[in-house]
Amino acid sequence: RPDKLIPSLTMYVEKTMGHRFVEPIPFAIEPSFNDSTATSPLIFVLSPGSDPMAALLKFADDKGVRVESVSLGQGQGPVAQKWIDA
């Protein structure tokens, strides 16, 4: 059953390899920002329950950088395309 697969695999990996292999790695914005460029921007592909926006806005404020964001749902694709084309 698909609904049992991920939890079962997680339990197996934790038992055989250890808890650290099933814990998500904390995301650090600064190293990612340092690797980004105008032609290689940061793009966040999120999983359910994750929301890096507060950390991103704080980081941007600390750096004195303006942030623009668009969620690609509910017809926002054309808005994102305009930003890409600009």
Side-chain angles (χ1 to χ4, degrees):
R1 292 178 36 190
D3 60 318
K4 300 287 185 180
L5 182 64
I6 299 298
S8 297
L9 285 172
T10 302
M11 285 175 39
Y12 174 77
V13 169
E14 185 172 13
K15 284 182 180 181
T16 59
M17 300 176 73
H19 184 69
R20 71 185 186 109
F21 288 94
V22 297
E23 281 295 305
I25 298 170
F27 175 68
I29 292 177
E30 187 152 6
S32 298
F33 176 78
N34 292 337
D35 288 341
S36 70
T37 66
T39 57
S40 181
L42 294 178
I43 297 174
F44 293 90
V45 179
L46 305 178
S47 58
S50 66
D51 185 7
M53 196 55 147
L56 177 63
L57 292 175
K58 182 185 179 322
F59 177 75
D61 188 53
D62 292 346
K63 295 286 186 182
V65 176
R66 187 175 68 125
V67 173
E68 293 186 43
S69 68
V70 63
S71 296
L72 295 179
Q74 300 179 356
Q76 294 301 301
V79 173
Q81 188 65 52
K82 283 182 186 176
W83 288 2
I84 292 169
D85 293 339

